[in-house]
Every structure is written in structure tokens, then in C-alpha cells.
């Protein structure tokens, strides 16, 4: 067993930095005679001291280190280091080499290493043992044989200190950027929210997120709009909807009465009328529709807003009925001598407040005898002069002279007299016209 077996501490192998030429320890338990002794690479046998002696390769190997590297002799090898590298141990000092320590003694460990119980050189954790000189702003990282001071994420080294990186200077955010110690946060304008990448801003659909629109909500880029259904208007607050009182806008919306309803309006008509085309009122013809209560012996007469049941037989003595509307005074009856020979019943209906003069009824003579002429007059029922007759040869027109307001009823006796003086002929007949004036202008 050769003593130099322990001259080759594994901890000398600084692979990363150094070009270290070390011979592999080959088995030395040979049966060689004492006179011949072989040392491992880097050592030579010194017969004087009977020890293996280190070879100073820096002196013996030409150009042991290339270029700018300097050669540093080492036990069993040599190191090539940058010229600026500080050498802590004077490994290549002059003088006799230090004796190779026996195995029982602790091995010298390189800086950053210390021997453990088994005398193996193990790494010192400078960070854990507060043996480092990292600034409080720096993180300490232990490394084999040394340590490193680094800046945390989001910091960078300026001089000896780590300072926060202002990420906001790099326009990472679409809208707004808030720098934070070691990081940053993007923010979005109102109506937007951060996208999945936490940097871009995407429109918020406020309508899906409970926007406070009372009726209709329209999302738009960055905001939303409330709208109202037809018949409502948006309140000043922009959210709620107020019913529009359509009836207050115009008195022409409905012919009779406008009734405002939520979101709409409706037209109503007075009794006896029905709604026609949403706003107009049309008289219901109860006689036609069968809604009347007239008996068999009666005739139904419709007028604006109602109807009247009149006795079908309206003839009064000495008149006798000859048809539904016609009563005749028989010439044979002496009582009829001074009476109109016939009375014809007619009914008509007009609306209130017609513009006047208004032609309302025309009387037509049925026959004109040669030499005869007709005369027309209102014989009864026109006490206030609301009507007059415009005579036109063989016919006459009943004219409303003044605007009248219903409900009102006139019974006018219009007389037509046909005369022929040559033949001493005179015939009179009466048209008994009932004029109903409705309560309304329609
Ligand atoms: C965005 O931020 C959230 C919350 O801070 C985080 O959980 C998520 O991982 C981030 N997404 C990205 C893409 O950075
Ligand atoms: C009456 O009728 C006759 C014959 O048609 C006509 O000549 C005459 O002008 C008419 N009189 C009036 C007042 O219209």
C-alpha cells in the first residue's frame, strides 16, 4: 500500500473552472519489490525522502497553460487559471512540499466546503448560515462551493441593489397598468374586463350581467343602453321607462274618448256606437243587428246613438192606413175635405253641430199635371225656424238653417200642395218627417 493513495483528494476536482490534469488512482497493491516504486501521475518517487514528490508541471511541461491562462502547480497536477484569478492557497510556494497528510488527519477542503464527520468535504450552505453578503433586496442561492446573490422576479440589479422593474413602461396593458413591487397589474376602463391573458380588455356585456334596464337593454362597446317598449319613454335616469300618455298628446287620437293604458292607449265610443278602425265611432244599427226590443206591431227606427220603436199603425182618424208608412184620408169622408189627403211618415237622423246650411231631405212631387204647380211649406214642427225649404220647381229641399245640438227630435210636417186653378184642382199631402239629432258629431 502506497502512502500517496491519499494524496488525491476528490475535492480538488473543480471541473467547471479548471483544466485539471489528474491521474486516475490505479490500484497500487502490486507485489513490486521495494527497490522500484511507482507514483501516480503528477508525482515522482523521491528516493531521498522515500515519498512520492509532487511534480511541478508548470516548470516541466512547456506551455502547460495556453494563452492568457496562468499555470498554478498543484499536488498531483496543476491548474490553469485566468491571470486575474486570486489564488488563496500558495500552492506553488517554494520550499519543500508539505508532507502528505496521513489519512487520520482532516483533509484540507477548498473554500466553500467543509469536512463532515467522515472527513469528506461537503458544501457549506452560506445562505443558511448567514455567511453571505447578499443585500436585503437580494435572494441568496447556495451553489456547490459558493453562493449567488440574485434579484427576485420583477426586480433587476442596479448597482449593488435590486430595484423593482416598472413593467408599465413596456406597455404590457391594453388600457391601464399599475406597477406593483416585483410585478404589475392591468386594469380596464369601466365597461371592460381583463381578458384571459390578464392584459387585454374585453367588453363587458352589461345586459347579461344584470344591467338595471327596466325594459330593454342593448350592449355596446364599453357600455350599454336602456330602451323602452313602444308606448314608453326612457326616464331621465336612463334606466326606467315611463308610460307615455298618448291621450295627452292629441285630442284627435280618438273620435270620442281616449283612454291611456300602460304602453298604449285605446279609444272608446259612447253607448250605441262601436269602434271602427281603432279611433272612429260608428253608430250601431240596432234595427239591422237585431239588438232592438221592438214588438211585432212596431217598426224599429235607428238613429245616431240609439233606436226607436214606433207603432206600425200610426194613422189617426179619419185617416186609415194604406201601407206601412202611409195614412190616407178617404175623399168620401166629409171630415177629410179640409185635410191633407195623405200623411206619409218618414224618419231620418242627423248628427249634432252640422255645418249649415245643410240640405237634409228632398221632397219630390210624383206627378205634375199640365197647368198645375206645386207649393211646398213646413206646416208644423218648425217653431224655432231651425229649417227652411228651398223650392226647386217640382221638388223641394229641406234645409237645416242653424246648427243644432242633440240629443233632440223634430217632427216636421212638410206639405206639398198641387194646384190647377183652371181645373179648380187642389191636392195636399203631408210628409211627417221625424228628425232625430244625435248627441254627437258622428
Ligand atoms: C390572470 O390572473 C389570474 C388572477 O390573478 C390568474 O389566476 C391567472 O393565472 C392569470 N392568467 C394569466 C394568463 O396570466
Ligand atoms: C222648372 O222646370 C221647368 C221645366 O223643366 C224649367 O223650365 C224651369 O226653369 C224650372 N224652374 C225653376 C225655378 O227651376
Amino acid at each position: 500500500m502506497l502512502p500517496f493513495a491519499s494524496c488525491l483528494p476528490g475535492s480538488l476536482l473543480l471541473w467547471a473552472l479548471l483544466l485539471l490534469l489528474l491521474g486516475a488512482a490505479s490500484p497500487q497493491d502490486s507485489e513490486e519489490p521495494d527497490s522500484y516504486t511507482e507514483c501516480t501521475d503528477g508525482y515522482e518517487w523521491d528516493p531521498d525522502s522515500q515519498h512520492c514528490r509532487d511534480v511541478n508541471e508548470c516548470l516541466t511541461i512547456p506551455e502547460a497553460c495556453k494563452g492568457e491562462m496562468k499555470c498554478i502547480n498543484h499536488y498531483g497536477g496543476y491548474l490553469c487559471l485566468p491571470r486575474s484569478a486570486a489564488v488563496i492557497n500558495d500552492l506553488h510556494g517554494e520550499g519543500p512540499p508539505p508532507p502528505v497528510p496521513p489519512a487520520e488527519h482532516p483533509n484540507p477542503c477548498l473554500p466553500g466546503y467543509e469536512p463532515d464527520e467522515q472527513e469528506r468535504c461537503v458544501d457549506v450552505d452560506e445562505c443558511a448560515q448567514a455567511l453571505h453578503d447578499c443585500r436585503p433586496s437580494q435572494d441568496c442561492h447556495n451553489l456547490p462551493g459558493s453562493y449567488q446573490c440574485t434579484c427576485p422576479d420583477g426586480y433587476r440589479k442596479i448597482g449593488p441593489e435590486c430595484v423593482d422593474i416598472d413593467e408599465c413602461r413596456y406597455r404590457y396593458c391594453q388600457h391601464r397598468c399599475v406597477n406593483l413591487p416585483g410585478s404589475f397589474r392591468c386594469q380596464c376602463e369601466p365597461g371592460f374586463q381583463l381578458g384571459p391573458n390578464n392584459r387585454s380588455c374585453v367588453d363587458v356585456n352589461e345586459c347579461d350581467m344584470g344591467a338595471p334596464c327596466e325594459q330593454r337593454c342593448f350592449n355596446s362597446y364599453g357600455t350599454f343602453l336602456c330602451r323602452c317598449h313602444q308606448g314608453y319613454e326612457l326616464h331621465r335616469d336612463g334606466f326606467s321607462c315611463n308610460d307615455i300618455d298618448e291621450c295627452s298628446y292629441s285630442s284627435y287620437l280618438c273620435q270620442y274618448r281616449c283612454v291611456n293604458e300602460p304602453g298604449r292607449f285605446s279609444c272608446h265610443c259612447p253607448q250605441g256606437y262601436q269602434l271602427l278602425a281603432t279611433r272612429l265611432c260608428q253608430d250601431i244599427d240596432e234595427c239591422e243587428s237585431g239588438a232592438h226590443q221592438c214588438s211585432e206591431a212596431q217598426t224599429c227606427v235607428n238613429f245616431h246613438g240609439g233606436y226607436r220603436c214606433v207603432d206600425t199603425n200610426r194613422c189617426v182618424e179619419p185617416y186609415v192606413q194604406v201601407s206601412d208608412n202611409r195614412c190616407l184620408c178617404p175623399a168620401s169622408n166629409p171630415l177629410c175635405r179640409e185635410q191633407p189627403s195623405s200623411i206619409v211618415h218618414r224618419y231620418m237622423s242627423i248628427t249634432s253641430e252640422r255645418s249649415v246650411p245643410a240640405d237634409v231631405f228632398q221632397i219630390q212631387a210624383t206627378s205634375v199635371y199640365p197647368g198645375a204647380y206645386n207649393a211646398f211649406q213646413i206646416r208644423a214642427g218648425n217653431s224655432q225656424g231651425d229649417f227652411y225649404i228651398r223650392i226647386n220647381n217640382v221638388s223641394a229641399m229641406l234645409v237645416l238653417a242653424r246648427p243644432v245640438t242633440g240629443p233632440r227630435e223634430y217632427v216636421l210636417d212638410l206639405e206639398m200642395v198641387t194646384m190647377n186653378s183652371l181645373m179648380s184642382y187642389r191636392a195636399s199631402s203631408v210628409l211627417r218627417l221625424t228628425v232625430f239629432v244625435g248627441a254627437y258629431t258622428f
Side-chain angles (χ1 to χ4, degrees):
M1 186 66 146
L2 290 172
F4 57 73
S6 60
C7 294
L8 305 166
S11 58
L12 285 177
L13 305 176
L14 304 174
W15 301 115
L17 258 177
L18 311 174
L19 172 62
L20 186 59
L21 298 177
L22 276 179
S26 55
Q28 297 296 324
D29 52 347
S30 60
E31 310 256 324
E32 297 291 329
D34 278 349
S35 59
Y36 176 77
T37 307
E38 169 134 354
C39 295
T40 53
D41 280 354
Y43 292 83
E44 59 188 4
W45 180 250
D46 181 5
D48 297 342
S49 64
Q50 289 287 298
H51 278 99
C52 285
R53 187 176 62 197
D54 177 50
V55 174
N56 188 341
E57 292 87 353
C58 293
L59 299 176
T60 58
I61 303 176
E63 278 193 277
C65 292
K66 293 220 183 329
E68 293 300 299
M69 306 293 271
K70 63 180 175 188
C71 181
I72 296 166
N73 186 47
H74 204 306
Y75 303 122
Y78 68 100
L79 313 176
C80 291
L81 293 177
R83 291 205 181 278
S84 59
V87 179
I88 295 160
N89 291 334
D90 186 15
L91 298 174
H92 56 124
E94 294 298 318
V100 174
E104 306 84 48
H105 291 180
N107 291 330
C109 292
L110 277 187
Y113 292 85
E114 60 186 3
D116 64 3
E117 286 101 30
Q118 280 87 45
E119 306 302 338
R120 287 177 309 210
C121 288
V122 296
D123 176 50
V124 174
D125 186 348
E126 295 85 356
C127 298
Q129 297 182 26
L131 295 174
H132 63 89
D133 61 353
C134 296
R135 301 279 177 129
S137 64
Q138 298 175 328
D139 290 341
C140 181
H141 291 283
N142 187 48
L143 295 174
S146 72
Y147 64 95
Q148 204 178 11
C149 299
T150 59
C151 291
D153 284 351
Y155 290 82
R156 65 188 169 118
K157 202 145 182 286
I158 296 182
E161 292 288 352
C162 294
V163 297
D164 176 42
I165 297 172
D166 183 0
E167 293 87 352
C168 293
R169 288 172 53 202
Y170 303 110
R171 301 193 183 281
Y172 283 150
C173 299
Q174 187 181 351
H175 284 184
R176 277 184 278 127
C177 181
V178 179
N179 185 51
L180 299 171
S183 70
F184 70 101
R185 193 172 61 225
C186 296
Q187 293 181 340
C188 295
E189 305 294 342
F192 295 85
Q193 62 187 13
L194 276 182
N197 63 5
N198 287 345
R199 290 181 177 178
S200 55
C201 294
V202 295
D203 177 46
V204 172
N205 187 343
E206 293 86 354
C207 297
D208 291 344
M209 311 264 291
C213 293
E214 187 180 322
Q215 289 185 355
R216 303 166 74 195
C217 182
F218 292 95
N219 184 51
S220 68
Y221 191 67
T223 184
F224 66 98
L225 288 173
C226 295
R227 289 282 179 266
C228 297
H229 299 308
Q230 200 178 356
Y232 294 83
E233 60 191 353
L234 198 62
H235 189 263
R236 217 180 284 114
D237 65 15
F239 305 118
S240 48
C241 294
N242 290 347
D243 176 46
I244 296 172
D245 182 0
E246 294 88 355
C247 298
S248 69
Y249 281 13
S250 167
S251 53
Y252 295 104
L253 281 177
C254 295
Q255 193 175 34
Y256 178 60
R257 180 170 297 152
C258 181
V259 176
N260 185 52
E261 293 170 16
R264 59 188 292 270
F265 70 97
S266 63
C267 295
H268 290 212
C269 289
Q271 200 176 4
Y273 289 83
Q274 61 194 4
L275 200 59
L276 179 72
T278 71
R279 69 167 290 269
L280 296 177
C281 292
Q282 185 186 46
D283 172 49
I284 298 169
D285 189 343
E286 295 85 356
C287 302
E288 192 84 351
S289 71
H292 64 86
Q293 305 280 316
C294 301
S295 68
E296 294 274 321
Q298 290 176 319
T299 300
C300 179
V301 178
N302 182 61
F303 59 87
H304 286 90
Y307 69 98
R308 173 74 53 82
C309 298
V310 294
D311 289 337
T312 306
N313 184 357
R314 282 151 289 187
C315 303
V316 183
E317 282 281 326
Y319 287 87
V320 295
Q321 187 169 4
V322 292
S323 72
D324 271 1
N325 297 318
R326 195 176 172 84
C327 303
L328 204 65
C329 213
S332 53
N333 189 335
L335 290 175
C336 290
R337 206 157 290 161
E338 300 300 321
Q339 297 292 332
S341 59
S342 70
I343 298 176
V344 175
H345 294 267
R346 294 287 184 203
Y347 301 86
M348 68 170 295
S349 176
I350 60 173
T351 57
S352 282
E353 287 152 37
R354 290 187 60 160
S355 57
V356 291
D359 294 357
V360 293
F361 197 91
Q362 176 168 284
I363 312 160
Q364 185 76 39
T366 50
S367 64
V368 179
Y369 300 101
Y373 69 94
N374 297 310
F376 301 93
Q377 62 164 326
I378 303 174
R379 211 172 119 127
N382 191 24
S383 55
Q384 271 132 33
D386 292 340
F387 298 89
Y388 64 86
I389 281 182
R390 190 178 71 241
I391 296 181
N392 177 24
N393 236 353
V394 295
S395 69
M397 181 63 77
L398 181 68
V399 180
L400 179 66
R402 300 210 298 235
V404 292
T405 301
R408 190 160 176 187
E409 190 178 322
Y410 295 92
V411 180
L412 300 172
D413 276 358
L414 309 179
E415 183 178 38
M416 182 181 78
V417 181
T418 304
M419 284 176 287
N420 188 322
S421 51
L422 295 177
M423 298 171 65
S424 295
Y425 172 80
R426 185 183 185 279
S428 163
S429 63
V430 162
L431 180 78
R432 186 157 291 166
L433 180 66
T434 303
V435 179
F436 296 105
V437 183
Y440 308 103
T441 59
F442 46 87

